[in-house]
Amino acid sequence: GLAFAADADDAKWIAQCVKDNKDAGKPPEVVEKYCVCMNEKMDSNETQSISQWEKAHPKEEKECDAQAGWK
């Protein structure tokens, strides 16, 4: 699960990201890895969801795609 998330706020964002990507046709562990990666790249004061933030940060999105094995 999300035990490695830094705090409850991170866990909430990661859970939302996983939910946002559940229809992407990827294994849940890949989606979760991607969401955790993106969450780690975001500033802790960020107010956008991961799904909103990724649209403005294609470099980070590519790095997390690669790290998670999202193909």
Side-chain angles (χ1 to χ4, degrees), residues 6-71:
D7 60 29
D9 190 53
D10 287 346
K12 182 187 78 166
W13 288 115
I14 291 164
Q16 182 62 51
C17 173
V18 169
K19 197 169 134 196
D20 290 347
N21 288 287
K22 74 176 179 349
D23 297 329
K26 302 295 173 199
E29 60 276 9
V30 169
V31 174
E32 190 174 310
K33 256 190 187 166
Y34 170 80
C35 293
V36 169
C37 177
M38 288 299 282
N39 185 65
E40 287 172 354
K41 291 185 180 295
M42 293 169 70
D43 187 273
S44 52
N45 297 320
E46 183 57 66
T47 57
Q48 291 183 307
S49 74
I50 294 170
S51 298
Q52 292 168 320
W53 189 84
E54 70 186 359
K55 290 174 179 63
H57 297 83
K59 179 182 157 285
E60 291 87 343
E61 185 182 4
K62 270 198 180 76
E63 289 169 3
C64 289
D65 282 351
Q67 190 176 317
W70 191 298
K71 294 188 173 46

